[in-house]
Amino acid sequence: MASKDAQNQRRGLPSFLPGAPDPDQNLPASSSKPGNQAWQLSRPLPRSFLPTLDLIIIHQQVELLGMILGTETSNKYEIKNSLGQRIYFAVEESICFNRTFCSTLRSCTLRITDNSGREVITVNRPLRCNSCWCPCYLQELEIQAPPGTIVGYVAQKWDPFLPKFTIQNANKEDILKIVGPCATCGCFGDVNFEVKTINEKLTIGKISKYWSGFVNDVFTNADNFGIHVPADLDVTVKAAMIGACFLFDFMFFEHSLAGL
């Protein structure tokens, strides 16, 4: 255990799971407190690559029909490792009415499959509000891994200035926070959402929307994201961060020529 902590320190990564006490705290963790419970995986993900990854790349595929007609089509994403090798593929399931009239607020289901076509993660997004002026009924995702087993949620928290979210376990207990920048336009640079401990004292990772150039950002919906996390982070937390990445794409970066 000591050698593993030393390796994490050399990589500059925290040597504890979300919910454990900060290194500068000497109080022992209590299993009776929700904030001190590590998020454990009740059932393993089938053929999961997540346990070994410290960088997850998500590439949204270009929809030529939507680009030409200026209409909203179902999103598709390739999920890759740091070498650019595809490990998963995600497809949005939603009805045309929702995509047309609810636009980026639409309810949908994202099904994530491995390279053999087997579904390994399901992300459910209900129809919710998205406004800094509305402190109730905000955005939320449900994460199932494997499908049928709820392992966590991503929930938006009201804040008048910054985009804030929490990653929750299956009992809806907060275990991590995600804090975004005041401006998410990312005109000429990356947009970073920092993943922090509950008290926001320590940053353990980030979700980045990579700037792909002026032409791509203005004339297509194709976005590229990177999820930077400790390699030994619990796989269900990594699955929730993938879901959070999809949510950020819908909320902050989804557009079409019809809206220009």
Side-chain angles (χ1 to χ4, degrees), residues 9 27 33 65 77 83 93 108 143 171 199 214 224 228:
Q9 290 173 0
L27 295 176
K33 296 181 180 180
L65 180 62
Y77 304 87
L83 300 178
E93 287 185 359
C108 63
I143 313 297
N171 297 321
N199 56 18
F214 178 80
N224 294 296
H228 302 259

Side-chain angles (χ1 to χ4, degrees), residues 38-45 145-146 151 234-236:
W39 197 5
Q40 299 296 331
L41 180 64
S42 58
R43 293 172 62 188
L45 297 180
V151 295
D234 193 280
V235 290
T236 54

Side-chain angles (χ1 to χ4, degrees), residues 72-238:
E72 208 57 73
T73 56
S74 296
N75 289 349
K76 298 180 179 65
Y77 304 87
E78 287 185 304
I79 302 173
K80 305 177 181 179
N81 59 19
S82 58
L83 300 178
Q85 300 167 330
R86 191 174 90 174
I87 54 176
Y88 297 124
F89 188 72
V91 178
E92 172 196 351
E93 287 185 359
S94 59
I95 61 175
C96 181
F97 179 89
N98 285 346
R99 293 196 302 271
T100 302
F101 295 99
C102 299
S103 188
T104 59
L105 294 178
R106 62 185 180 267
S107 61
C108 63
T109 296
L110 289 131
R111 302 194 183 277
I112 302 175
T113 57
D114 60 18
N115 289 329
S116 66
R118 179 166 52 175
E119 186 175 348
V120 293
I121 303 173
T122 303
V123 179
N124 293 316
R125 184 198 188 198
L127 179 64
R128 294 263 183 155
C129 298
N130 177 24
S131 172
C132 62
W133 305 111
C134 180
C136 59
Y137 209 64
L138 297 176
Q139 293 291 305
E140 183 177 275
L141 291 182
E142 176 193 85
I143 313 297
Q144 300 179 9
T149 301
I150 298 175
V151 295
Y153 300 86
V154 178
Q156 182 183 12
K157 299 299 180 181
W158 183 82
D159 189 279
F161 304 109
L162 297 174
K164 290 190 175 183
F165 302 82
T166 59
I167 295 178
Q168 302 173 332
N169 62 15
N171 297 321
K172 292 200 170 184
E173 299 164 342
D174 296 346
I175 58 172
L176 285 176
K177 284 188 178 180
I178 303 177
V179 181
C182 181
T184 59
C185 60
C187 296
F188 297 99
D190 298 346
V191 180
N192 296 315
F193 295 80
E194 294 186 336
V195 182
K196 299 175 176 287
T197 52
I198 290 298
N199 56 18
E200 299 188 24
K201 287 184 178 180
L202 184 64
T203 299
I204 70 160
K206 64 179 179 179
I207 299 175
S208 300
K209 193 270 183 182
Y210 298 136
W211 185 62
S212 53
F214 178 80
V215 173
N216 272 347
D217 277 359
V218 172
F219 293 101
T220 75
N221 281 337
D223 295 317
N224 294 296
F225 297 87
I227 302 174
H228 302 259
V229 293
D232 57 355
L233 191 66
D234 193 280
V235 290
T236 54
V237 183
K238 292 181 181 180

